[in-house]
Amino acid sequence: MEYDGDRQPPPLHPTVAPISYLLGRWRGEGEGQFPTISSFLYGEELQFSHSGKPVIAYSQKTWKLNSGEPMHSESGFWRPKPDGTIEVVIAQSTGIVEVQKGTYNADEQVIKLQSQLVGNASKVKEISRVFELVNGKLSYEVQMSTNTNHLQPHLKAVLNKI
Amino acid sequence: MEYDGDRQPPPLHPTVAPISYLLGRWRGEGEGQFPTISSFLYGEELQFSHSGKPVIAYSQKTWKLNSGEPMHSESGFWRPKPDGTIEVVIAQSTGIVEVQKGTYNADEQVIKLQSQLVGNASKVKEISRVFELVNGKLSYEVQMSTNTNHLQPHLKAVLNKI
């Protein structure tokens, strides 16, 4: 016997219910900036799924808007706790790993994360991520600090459920 | 315009060619053990894919053999270098992140990895992973050390391409 999440969606674990609005696929466009690079636009798709356990699997990819050429990708797991805290672990295609910790507000549908660990990075020191659901659209903002620049806006995007 | 790796497989980046035998889906069974737990059997599926960049995306899930109930899952990226070294970054559903570094041998189709970083773990200190392709089957062995037990076998599995 074998589990196949594609054919038989399991019941949602109550621990992930407060952020279950994330589940599914989201697609949209974003903008990147940082003092050390030229600003750029990108297309993006996020996918959130679950297997019935108290964790949501996450994967993401971005592409250049004009050519469709793949850019960044990342994947990991979102682990909310009943007390309103959440930890998110992410592996990036660039070789960076993140341990993010923060809080979710189920009523306001806002999730605020701050890196506790950024591993295998040559320049990046801290990464903060804020996700918000507004009028059915999922928006996020990522801030970053490096060995030369303090924490400041790096990425923002607005995504529609598909 | 938008990238869609499912419909138009891009050309393989030459940097990942030496480990391109990983690409695709693998399914099989494994066995887990450690001095602090009862031995257990599991079903497993691995998926390796690429987008044309010099990195291979990795995702994995396991389930209980008798009930199909989901167990562990993890995801991340494999980043081989032309000099025969490789780094692998993994986020686990348990909340652990790993930065693995090691070597690949393209002729012997063996990849040997040793953790450089195990983050957000309460007990796990080190994880080593060895993958080997033998007669078309992908086998691996994971060793682990914890705050109470030295590095020793934890997981092994044999998987068939599907």
Side-chain angles (χ1 to χ4, degrees):
Chain A
M1 187 162 177
E2 171 193 315
Y3 170 71
D4 188 335
D6 298 333
R7 279 180 295 190
Q8 297 184 343
L12 193 66
H13 193 287
T15 299
V16 303
I19 60 166
S20 63
Y21 59 84
L22 291 175
L23 292 168
R25 293 169 72 194
W26 301 84
R27 192 176 290 180
E29 296 181 5
E31 183 176 358
Q33 59 172 317
F34 209 68
T36 51
I37 57 173
S38 299
S39 298
F40 61 97
L41 300 175
Y42 57 91
E44 179 170 40
E45 187 176 313
L46 304 187
Q47 184 160 5
F48 294 94
S49 61
H50 79 103
S51 68
K53 302 200 76 168
V55 58
I56 290 179
Y58 160 71
S59 65
Q60 180 260 23
K61 63 180 180 183
T62 64
W63 56 86
K64 292 184 181 176
L65 272 182
N66 55 354
S67 66
E69 185 188 339
M71 295 175 68
H72 180 85
S73 56
E74 58 189 41
S75 59
F77 298 90
W78 295 52
R79 295 163 45 85
K81 309 293 175 193
D83 66 0
T85 65
I86 180 170
E87 65 179 36
V88 177
V89 287
I90 295 173
Q92 295 191 16
S93 60
T94 54
I96 290 176
V97 294
E98 293 172 58
V99 176
Q100 294 275 348
K101 299 202 180 185
T103 56
Y104 63 85
N105 184 315
D107 295 331
E108 297 182 1
Q109 298 181 310
V110 178
I111 300 169
K112 296 182 179 177
L113 302 167
Q114 172 64 43
S115 58
Q116 299 297 300
L117 169 69
V118 175
N120 204 34
S122 57
K123 296 176 182 172
V124 181
K125 295 298 181 192
E126 301 168 286
I127 300 168
S128 71
R129 297 176 180 251
V130 176
F131 288 77
E132 187 167 11
L133 188 71
V134 179
N135 296 328
K137 293 177 187 288
L138 184 64
S139 68
Y140 71 77
E141 182 170 335
V142 172
Q143 299 206 20
M144 178 171 76
S145 71
T146 66
N147 50 7
T148 55
N149 292 82
H150 62 78
L151 194 70
Q152 59 194 284
H154 175 43
L155 303 169
K156 62 180 177 182
V158 179
L159 306 142
N160 294 296
K161 193 84 163 262
I162 59 172
Chain B
M1 188 163 176
E2 171 193 315
Y3 170 72
D4 188 334
D6 298 332
R7 278 179 297 188
Q8 298 184 343
L12 193 67
H13 193 287
T15 299
V16 303
I19 61 165
S20 62
Y21 59 83
L22 291 175
L23 292 167
R25 293 169 73 195
W26 301 84
R27 192 175 291 180
E29 296 181 6
E31 183 177 357
Q33 59 171 316
F34 208 67
T36 52
I37 58 174
S38 300
S39 297
F40 60 96
L41 300 174
Y42 57 91
E44 179 169 40
E45 186 175 313
L46 303 187
Q47 184 160 6
F48 294 94
S49 62
H50 80 103
S51 68
K53 302 201 76 168
V55 58
I56 289 179
Y58 159 71
S59 64
Q60 180 260 24
K61 63 180 178 183
T62 64
W63 56 86
K64 293 184 180 174
L65 272 183
N66 55 353
S67 65
E69 185 188 339
M71 293 174 68
H72 180 85
S73 56
E74 57 189 42
S75 60
F77 298 92
W78 295 52
R79 296 164 44 85
K81 309 294 175 191
D83 67 0
T85 64
I86 180 169
E87 64 179 37
V88 176
V89 287
I90 295 173
Q92 296 191 16
S93 59
T94 54
I96 289 176
V97 294
E98 293 171 60
V99 176
Q100 294 274 350
K101 300 203 179 184
T103 56
Y104 62 85
N105 184 315
D107 296 330
E108 298 182 0
Q109 298 180 310
V110 177
I111 300 170
K112 296 182 180 178
L113 301 168
Q114 172 64 43
S115 58
Q116 299 297 300
L117 170 69
V118 175
N120 204 36
S122 57
K123 296 177 183 172
V124 181
K125 295 299 181 191
E126 301 167 286
I127 300 168
S128 72
R129 296 176 180 251
V130 176
F131 288 78
E132 187 167 12
L133 188 70
V134 178
N135 296 329
K137 293 177 188 288
L138 184 64
S139 68
Y140 71 77
E141 182 169 334
V142 173
Q143 299 206 21
M144 178 172 76
S145 71
T146 66
N147 51 7
T148 54
N149 292 83
H150 61 77
L151 193 71
Q152 59 194 283
H154 174 42
L155 303 169
K156 61 180 177 181
V158 178
L159 305 142
N160 294 296
K161 194 84 163 262
I162 58 171

